[in-house]
Amino acid sequence: EENYDIIQQNAMVVFIDRDIERLSTNGRPLSQGGIEKLRQMYEVRYPLYKKFSHFSVKSQKTWQETTALIIEELNKR
């Protein structure tokens, strides 16, 4: 929460909402506890991500398809 004002004034914040089961934990220091650690972080961070983002997109597909969804939403703004 301490970075909220800085982030909001300097960027358009997009929350890419992806199911936890679809996230990779390999090579990611914050998720070194595996899927259970990721679930714990998710429970704490999800409401903040929703609160701080200008908009969100649900990502269940490839990064290319997710990028297209983001661009489509940005073009509406």
Side-chain angles (χ1 to χ4, degrees):
E1 289 195 30
E2 64 196 51
N3 294 323
Y4 175 76
D5 290 332
I6 295 167
I7 292 170
Q8 289 290 314
Q9 68 182 230
N10 292 313
M12 174 71 68
V13 180
V14 179
F15 171 36
I16 301 173
D17 189 357
R18 188 163 176 91
D19 291 337
I20 291 175
E21 292 77 22
R22 297 180 71 98
L23 296 175
S24 172
T25 57
N26 295 335
R28 301 184 74 155
L30 290 177
S31 57
Q32 287 304 305
I35 194 73
E36 193 52 44
K37 169 92 182 220
L38 209 51
R39 280 192 211 308
Q40 291 170 359
M41 283 192 303
Y42 178 87
E43 289 177 17
V44 171
R45 293 180 176 193
Y46 186 85
L48 297 173
Y49 292 158
K50 293 293 284 183
K51 177 181 175 182
F52 295 156
S53 63
H54 289 95
F55 67 92
S56 64
V57 294
K58 189 73 173 165
S59 173
Q60 300 302 334
K61 302 179 181 181
T62 67
W63 68 265
Q64 295 95 334
E65 291 167 304
T66 301
T67 301
L69 289 172
I70 293 168
I71 292 169
E72 181 180 321
E73 185 63 36
L74 287 170
N75 286 331
K76 291 179 186 176
R77 295 169 182 268

